[in-house]
Amino acid sequence: MVHIEDLFTGAADATTAAPIDWDPLREHDALLEVGLLDCRVCPLTGRSGLLLDMRTALQYRTGNAALLVVRGMRSFRWRETPPNTELFNFSVGSSSPTATAEAWRIDLGLFIDGELSIEGKSADFYLLNADALPDAPPNYSGRGLDEVRHALPWWDSECTVLEWSSTDGI
């Protein structure tokens, strides 16, 4: 078992996991209805990470969490219309990965009104089973992060890597 944080930093090796069937690093709209929980940007290492709640995903029947790591980050762009609540579940309405010889990029359209775009040299995607989570995401209405945090996969969550993919070799 590993911590999600260790996958982000590269301290854990998940290359022995099975290859992913529906690959969001290559397939358009593979991340439909996935919940975006948190984003990390580490300028020191040139990495960004997206922590995802997979319990509402349309394309995946296994895994309750996922991590998308972009290495050699070139850009990170976030735009949203701020919601009127303390917590708001941004869910993915579209996902569009593109690859060239020089870079990999993903553009996410987020429900209700948000956009996220990340570009870097390469990316890894880990489909995870985070320990001790309920079957459904928490109700965010009128609650703070400290009230729902126990029901979410988080950076310190212990997990098992079920499947993975990488853009290395594209």
Side-chain angles (χ1 to χ4, degrees):
M1 236 181 268
V2 298
H3 289 97
I4 294 174
E5 174 81 18
D6 294 336
L7 293 169
F8 174 69
T9 63
D13 181 18
T15 59
T16 59
I20 198 157
D21 291 328
W22 187 258
D23 191 349
L25 302 180
R26 292 166 180 80
E27 305 284 339
H28 286 275
D29 291 334
L31 296 175
L32 288 179
E33 300 299 322
V34 168
L36 177 62
L37 296 175
D38 198 25
C39 304
R40 284 215 174 155
V41 174
C42 183
L44 186 63
T45 61
R47 268 189 198 146
S48 59
L50 303 182
L51 183 58
L52 305 168
D53 191 332
M54 300 300 283
R55 293 175 286 185
T56 55
L58 292 182
Q59 306 296 345
Y60 303 91
R61 296 295 166 239
T62 61
N64 57 17
L67 177 65
L68 192 153
V69 179
V70 178
R71 293 176 276 118
M73 186 180 60
R74 295 179 179 179
S75 69
F76 183 99
R77 187 176 72 71
W78 172 265
R79 186 203 58 79
E80 74 168 277
T81 300
N84 293 329
T85 61
E86 183 177 339
L87 294 181
F88 184 79
N89 182 27
F90 279 100
S91 63
V92 176
S94 65
S95 62
S96 300
T98 53
T100 66
E102 296 83 34
W104 179 86
R105 175 185 177 121
I106 192 162
D107 295 298
L108 300 175
L110 303 168
F111 179 78
I112 279 183
D113 187 20
E115 295 174 358
L116 175 59
S117 177
I118 305 173
E119 183 176 319
K121 289 182 182 177
S122 59
D124 298 307
F125 181 81
Y126 305 97
L127 182 62
L128 309 169
N129 189 45
D131 287 352
L133 290 183
D135 290 338
N139 178 358
Y140 296 107
S141 180
R143 300 172 86 190
L145 183 57
D146 59 328
E147 296 173 282
V148 299
R149 172 63 191 83
H150 68 282
L152 296 172
W154 211 250
W155 300 99
D156 60 352
S157 295
E158 287 191 340
C159 65
T160 302
V161 179
L162 302 174
E163 298 176 359
W164 80 288
S165 68
S166 178
T167 61
D168 291 344
I170 290 183

